Amino acid sequence: MWRSLAVLVVVLLAGCGRFSSEDHTVGWTAQRLYTEAKDELASGNYETAISYFEKLEARFPYGRYAQQSQLEVAYAHYKNGDPASAIAAIERFIKLHPNHPNIDYAYYLKGIVNFYEDQSTLAQWFGEDPSQRDPRSARDSFNAFKELVAKYPQSKYAPDAVARMNYLVNGLASHEVHVARYYYLRGAFVAAANRAQFAVKTYPEAPAMEEALFIMARAYERLGMKELRDDAERVLRANFPDSKLLQGGRVAPDPAWWQFWKPRS
């Protein structure tokens, strides 16, 4: 019996030794961990790449490879289909290394992750008006690109960021106008005017401004605020002189306007 027990102990200890040595990266330098992680990332082995990047930071937390790994792991999470982890890693990197040479890329990557998260949501809701969806990802993407362009206008990522902002802007503006229209049609004229005004101030170049200005004019009309109504009407007339929302140079009356109105694309 004692002999059997001793054999069992030896087997268990041997097993523990075998499992404890399974981490084949033990003894790797920071440079090798980084190089291997990059190779795995390039090969599409994202989970392995993430594991290597995390080991690198844990073992060599103060070197240059550790800093770069914090950014690379964000990209790996994004490619692995985990946008929440990618954003968390990016925000951590920005907080820890605000003066890093690649900080512009961090803002760009944050915009990209949210940009494609919004496109993924759009695909799930295919066939529905995108202005009626939650624009959180699109707004976060727009804000990240905007911050990149404002802080680092000479960045090589700035031109693409501007192009993506132009793509996003009318969807965001259309969402605000959709909400303003919702309030207006339910008699919440103050809320409608405020939401339309926010759209005009925030996204002044978007085609959706035509309806936003119109809703402002109609809401102020219903509230008896004639001076504000005239201001909104004047801006609408100056920017959209051929608008179907104008009749004889004045805003169309209720309830006709929403029966024929189709927003510009």
Side-chain angles (χ1 to χ4, degrees):
M1 176 179 176
W2 288 108
R3 179 178 296 177
S4 298
L5 182 59
V7 171
L8 179 60
V9 170
V10 170
V11 170
L12 289 174
L13 289 174
C16 290
R18 183 173 68 253
F19 287 120
S20 65
S21 63
E22 277 188 351
D23 187 352
H24 58 279
T25 69
V26 172
W28 285 11
T29 63
Q31 182 177 8
R32 182 177 179 185
L33 269 171
Y34 183 78
T35 301
E36 295 283 349
K38 289 285 286 183
D39 288 345
E40 296 292 343
L41 184 59
S43 300
N45 301 319
Y46 304 123
E47 291 186 1
T48 302
I50 290 168
S51 174
Y52 286 175
F53 283 131
E54 290 177 344
K55 288 177 188 295
L56 193 161
E57 185 183 358
R59 295 176 190 173
F60 309 96
Y62 303 111
R64 64 185 181 89
Y65 289 112
Q67 289 187 11
Q68 191 62 28
S69 290
Q70 292 170 10
L71 192 54
E72 297 285 359
V73 79
Y75 180 75
H77 279 304
Y78 158 60
K79 295 297 288 183
N80 199 40
D82 188 356
S85 294
I87 294 297
I90 293 167
E91 291 180 344
R92 176 171 176 261
F93 179 86
I94 291 173
K95 182 178 180 180
L96 291 176
H97 312 292
N99 299 315
H100 192 276
N102 295 328
I103 192 68
D104 59 333
Y105 173 72
Y107 286 104
Y108 178 72
L109 182 58
K110 184 177 181 180
I112 288 292
V113 173
N114 280 304
F115 182 87
Y116 285 109
E117 177 72 0
D118 182 69
Q119 301 309 299
S120 175
T121 303
L122 175 60
Q124 295 173 16
W125 294 89
F126 182 76
E128 291 195 7
D129 180 356
S131 70
Q132 300 182 36
R133 296 180 292 107
D134 181 0
R136 178 175 54 84
S137 293
R139 186 181 298 117
D140 289 345
S141 178
F142 182 87
N143 289 337
F145 289 138
K146 183 178 180 180
E147 192 166 7
L148 164 64
V149 173
K151 290 183 174 180
Y152 311 100
Q154 303 304 317
S155 169
K156 65 181 180 180
Y157 305 107
D160 187 66
V162 170
R164 292 177 188 274
M165 287 169 65
N166 291 336
Y167 174 85
L168 290 166
V169 69
N170 198 50
L172 292 167
S174 295
H175 173 78
E176 297 300 329
V177 172
H178 172 80
V179 175
R181 187 191 314 129
Y182 174 88
Y183 285 139
Y184 183 89
L185 294 178
R186 284 154 182 77
F189 302 121
V190 172
N194 289 340
R195 202 67 182 246
Q197 184 182 60
F198 174 81
V200 169
K201 289 183 176 180
T202 309
Y203 311 108
E205 303 298 323
M209 292 309 93
E210 182 177 2
E211 187 179 0
L213 288 164
F214 175 79
I215 291 174
M216 286 175 63
R218 291 301 313 151
Y220 289 138
E221 169 75 20
R222 298 297 293 268
L223 291 168
M225 305 172 75
K226 299 187 183 304
E227 185 174 345
L228 291 176
R229 175 207 62 192
D230 291 345
D231 287 342
E233 189 177 79
R234 182 170 58 255
V235 176
L236 173 63
R237 190 164 53 245
N239 287 275
F240 304 96
D242 61 342
S243 175
K244 294 181 179 179
L245 296 174
L246 293 169
Q247 293 183 3
R250 305 301 302 272
V251 293
D254 293 343
W257 66 274
W258 63 76
Q259 295 177 354
F260 65 78
W261 170 240
K262 182 178 180 180
R264 297 170 187 252
S265 59

